[in-house]
Amino acid sequence: MASANTSGSEENFSCSICLDVFSSPVTTPCGHNFCRTCITKYWDGQVKFKCPLCNMAFNTRPDLRINTLLSELAAQFQTSIRVKDQLCVKPGEVPCDVCTGTQLKAVKSCLVCFISYCQTHLEPHQRFAVLKKHRLVEPMDRLEDRMCKKHDRLLELFCRTEQVCVCQSCTETDHKSHPVVPLKEEYEVKMAQLGKMEAEVQQMIQERQNNIQEIKDTVNRSKADADREIAHGVHILTALKRCIKKYQDDVNRMVKEKLKSTEKQAEDLIKELEQEIEDLTSRKIEVKKLSHTEDHLHFLQTFRSLKDPPPTRDWTTVEVLPPSYVGTLWRSLDQLEETLNMEMEKLPGDAELKRVQQYEVDVTLDPDTAHPHLILSEDGKQIHDGGVRKKLLDNPKRFRQGICVLTRQSFSSGRFYFEVQVKDKTGWCLGVARESINRKDLIIATPESGYWTLFSYKDGLVFNDDPAVRLPPRAELQKVGVFVDYDEGLVSFYDVEARVHIYSATGCSFTEPLYPFLGPWRCDYEGINSAPLIISPVNQTD
């Protein structure tokens, strides 16, 4: 159907019911025209017969006949519309260069005339013998750009040496010795390359989109971690404030009780002294009174009763010592530290351990760094002291004094985590070490010398620092997790089985690659401490 939004001339040939060009038009007695089918269907549903356009009523249903003139005109108009729809230039089609006004689409292009023709204007090339010799091709736009400027011939070949389009004459002159192929062949090659380029670009886009998502995921995890850390901090600090208040009250109470006891002792002594003073004053008055009597008999009789003084204390041995408050505050601080540690133990260490376990790395021990006493497993995951010094080449990477080993892998950024089984060991050390450590002399394993390590002795755990940080012993410690955040300068140790945090070294300065470090220590002649250190895979369901 033709569009209702048409020119005025099309409206003259359109039915007002279907809005299309008339089909078998008929005229009503009132002079209006409709398609026979349209007016018939319209009246079939009516009781009274009216004109749809002017509403004129008819007594009986009119006998309609086809308007022959209007029918012929409508047919001609329909044909013109069909021709126009077929020949008018549409987007992407080549227009006729000869048409004036409305351009029709070209059906051929002439490589001699450099002109594109519609079917009408192409007619001379099909009629005259001279023009029939011209080379006609499928319609092409910008014909002048498709011709060789030097030879005026069509650019239909491609020179692979100079990567340019050439004509047939070019292959006989400037490009005579160059490999040339038809444009279509090179087009297919380049299209394949373009497809590969598109795939590569798409892959790069996808990788960057993945990077964006990873960054967003990291930010989301960081927010969740921050919320948890704030909640843990509030919990601990609230408990700490509560404990500080309690122990402050306890210290005040103990000091006041000691002071009150001293004050009570002093008060009792003062009362006793005052009583003795009162008794002595009475005696003094009696003595003085007697000293003024001249009655010999009375004097002698009274003097005998004054001969024995009233009982008094030997005050030379009596003293009030000020109370000692030494140690009161320190005892409270020790109790406060113990309480704080108990509160720390209550923290959800399992969640923290799971959070760091996601940064697990697969590391294997490097035999080139192992001390000659050490024996490595074939998979590079276990190491123990063999008790015998092997004869090995003096590799510059090998430890000569310390019974220890590094991994093959190193880390210079980001976060990483690994676990080591220490079961049945009486002594060991593990952690991380920087690449430039001294491997030939006696090891002083402190952060200053490039080591961030946890040591285990019979009497407990020690983080080697200056001074060393002594940690409470952990019963049945079987597996230790080591987490490093290179960029944040953090090294943390975890009791994996108990799923609790052991110790964290913060504010570390990392400026070079870090290697996981294991020291199984020596075993004695009785085989004590002969169990291996084992790099274990992470099992988050432990």
Side-chain angles (χ1 to χ4, degrees):
M1 291 178 65
S3 171
N5 185 19
T6 57
S7 63
S9 60
E10 185 172 348
E11 291 177 357
N12 294 331
F13 298 97
S14 298
C15 171
S16 59
I17 295 178
C18 68
L19 303 179
D20 203 348
V21 177
F22 286 119
S23 174
S24 300
V26 294
T27 306
T28 61
C30 59
H32 294 116
N33 299 297
F34 304 96
C35 297
R36 177 191 286 276
T37 302
C38 294
I39 190 64
T40 299
K41 287 184 178 180
Y42 179 78
W43 280 340
D44 285 347
Q46 303 292 325
V47 176
K48 295 183 179 180
F49 307 108
K50 294 182 180 180
C51 174
L53 206 57
C54 67
N55 282 329
M56 177 179 283
F58 310 111
N59 295 328
T60 59
R61 183 167 181 161
D63 185 15
L64 301 175
R65 295 184 178 182
I66 293 177
N67 186 329
T68 306
L69 177 60
L70 183 58
S71 180
E72 292 177 355
L73 293 174
Q76 292 176 8
F77 183 74
Q78 183 71 44
T79 302
S80 67
I81 291 177
R82 194 159 48 246
V83 171
K84 182 178 179 181
D85 289 342
Q86 291 176 354
L87 298 181
C88 284
V89 182
K90 298 177 182 178
E93 294 179 338
V94 179
C96 174
D97 294 327
V98 182
C99 287
T100 58
T102 301
Q103 285 186 307
L104 300 181
K105 70 176 181 179
V107 294
K108 292 291 181 181
S109 295
C110 178
L111 299 181
V112 177
C113 304
F114 294 155
I115 293 176
S116 297
Y117 299 102
C118 66
Q119 188 62 53
T120 301
H121 293 119
L122 182 64
E123 188 269 337
H125 278 73
Q126 297 171 333
R127 183 159 46 92
F128 296 106
V130 176
L131 297 179
K132 285 183 178 180
K133 297 180 180 180
H134 290 188
R135 185 177 177 186
L136 298 177
V137 296
E138 292 303 309
M140 297 181 178
D141 59 348
R142 296 165 53 190
L143 281 171
E144 64 278 5
D145 295 339
R146 298 175 179 272
M147 305 302 294
C148 177
K149 307 298 182 188
K150 186 174 182 180
H151 303 109
D152 286 334
R153 296 187 66 177
L154 182 66
L155 296 171
E156 54 186 350
L157 300 171
F158 185 81
C159 174
R160 287 183 167 172
T161 300
E162 298 188 15
Q163 294 290 298
V164 293
C165 297
V166 297
C167 69
Q168 187 62 44
S169 297
C170 291
T171 64
E172 300 169 359
T173 54
D174 299 342
H175 300 266
K176 185 175 182 179
S177 59
H178 297 172
V180 295
V181 294
L183 290 183
K184 182 179 180 181
E185 182 177 336
E186 189 64 23
Y187 167 83
E188 292 173 350
V189 172
K190 290 293 191 289
M191 282 298 291
Q193 294 176 355
L194 194 65
K196 184 178 179 181
M197 290 171 58
E198 182 181 5
E200 291 174 349
V201 171
Q202 180 59 38
Q203 182 179 356
M204 293 174 67
I205 292 173
Q206 186 62 48
E207 289 173 352
R208 281 148 184 78
Q209 289 175 338
N210 292 342
N211 290 338
I212 291 174
Q213 188 59 47
E214 288 176 2
I215 292 172
K216 289 181 178 179
D217 291 343
T218 299
V219 171
N220 291 334
R221 285 197 303 269
S222 298
K223 288 180 179 178
D225 291 347
D227 291 340
R228 280 192 295 269
E229 203 64 27
I230 290 173
H232 296 167
V234 169
H235 173 79
I236 288 297
L237 294 176
T238 300
L240 182 59
K241 287 191 290 185
R242 188 168 57 247
C243 292
I244 289 175
K245 179 66 170 62
K246 176 182 180 300
Y247 288 116
Q248 181 183 13
D249 293 342
D250 290 345
V251 169
N252 292 345
R253 178 180 52 77
M254 286 187 289
V255 170
K256 288 179 179 179
E257 286 178 354
K258 286 187 176 182
L259 176 60
K260 185 176 181 180
S261 176
T262 301
E263 290 176 339
K264 179 67 168 61
Q265 179 189 10
E267 182 181 344
D268 292 344
L269 291 174
I270 289 172
K271 285 183 178 180
E272 188 176 348
L273 284 168
E274 288 177 342
Q275 183 62 50
E276 287 191 2
I277 289 173
E278 184 179 346
D279 293 343
L280 290 171
T281 301
S282 298
R283 183 178 178 81
K284 177 183 176 182
I285 293 173
E286 291 178 2
V287 170
K288 188 172 183 62
K289 181 179 178 182
L290 184 61
S291 66
H292 288 91
T293 184
E294 295 180 356
D295 185 340
H296 297 165
L297 177 62
H298 175 70
F299 175 84
L300 292 174
Q301 289 177 340
T302 304
F303 182 81
R304 192 172 72 175
S305 65
L306 294 175
K307 184 177 180 181
D308 297 324
T312 58
R313 180 183 294 197
D314 182 6
W315 292 99
T316 59
T317 60
V318 177
E319 61 177 335
V320 177
L321 296 176
S324 174
Y325 305 114
V326 175
T328 303
L329 180 59
W330 289 111
R331 282 193 296 274
S332 294
L333 290 176
D334 288 342
Q335 293 175 350
L336 177 62
E337 181 181 7
E338 182 179 349
T339 303
L340 181 61
N341 288 335
M342 290 174 60
E343 290 294 331
M344 292 289 288
E345 290 283 349
K346 295 178 184 178
L347 283 177
D350 184 66
E352 180 180 350
L353 184 59
K354 284 185 177 180
R355 194 161 61 248
V356 300
Q357 282 180 328
Q358 65 181 313
Y359 299 103
E360 178 192 9
V361 291
D362 184 15
V363 292
T364 53
L365 301 172
D366 184 358
D368 289 340
T369 66
H371 184 276
H373 269 246
L374 296 178
I375 297 177
L376 274 69
S377 62
E378 291 185 3
D379 62 0
K381 298 292 186 179
Q382 301 186 29
I383 188 166
H384 69 278
D385 177 21
V388 178
R389 188 181 185 93
K390 300 189 293 292
K391 293 182 178 180
L392 301 172
L393 294 176
D394 189 14
N395 191 311
K397 297 195 301 181
R398 190 181 307 285
F399 287 97
R400 188 169 58 188
Q401 296 290 334
I403 309 296
C404 49
V405 64
L406 300 178
T407 63
R408 297 178 184 272
Q409 297 77 17
S410 65
F411 305 89
S412 301
S413 63
R415 301 166 181 171
F416 63 95
Y417 173 86
F418 62 96
E419 293 180 355
V420 178
Q421 180 179 305
V422 296
K423 183 179 179 182
D424 299 328
K425 299 287 291 178
T426 57
W428 48 264
C429 63
L430 59 91
V432 292
R434 67 185 179 212
E435 187 173 43
S436 63
I437 52 175
N438 184 345
R439 310 183 189 198
K440 301 305 177 184
D441 299 325
L442 184 65
I443 293 178
I444 302 176
T446 64
E448 185 177 1
S449 58
Y451 295 85
W452 291 265
T453 51
L454 186 69
F455 278 65
S456 173
Y457 301 91
K458 290 182 179 180
D459 56 349
L461 298 173
V462 173
F463 177 77
N464 258 25
D465 205 340
D466 189 14
V469 180
R470 297 197 173 275
L471 304 167
R474 301 203 63 84
E476 300 181 0
L477 180 60
Q478 298 186 21
K479 189 181 295 185
V480 176
V482 182
F483 171 70
V484 177
D485 189 329
Y486 190 101
D487 303 314
E488 290 293 329
L490 172 70
V491 180
S492 295
F493 300 89
Y494 297 86
D495 181 340
V496 177
E497 300 297 327
R499 309 195 75 75
V500 296
H501 171 262
I502 297 176
Y503 181 76
S504 286
T506 59
C508 307
S509 178
F510 302 136
T511 57
E512 56 184 276
L514 294 178
Y515 289 82
F517 170 93
L518 281 73
W521 285 15
R522 293 181 185 273
C523 66
D524 60 19
Y525 294 110
E526 297 179 356
I528 297 176
N529 202 37
S530 61
L533 289 178
I534 303 174
I535 299 175
S536 306
V538 170
N539 183 2
Q540 295 194 20
T541 60
D542 282 345

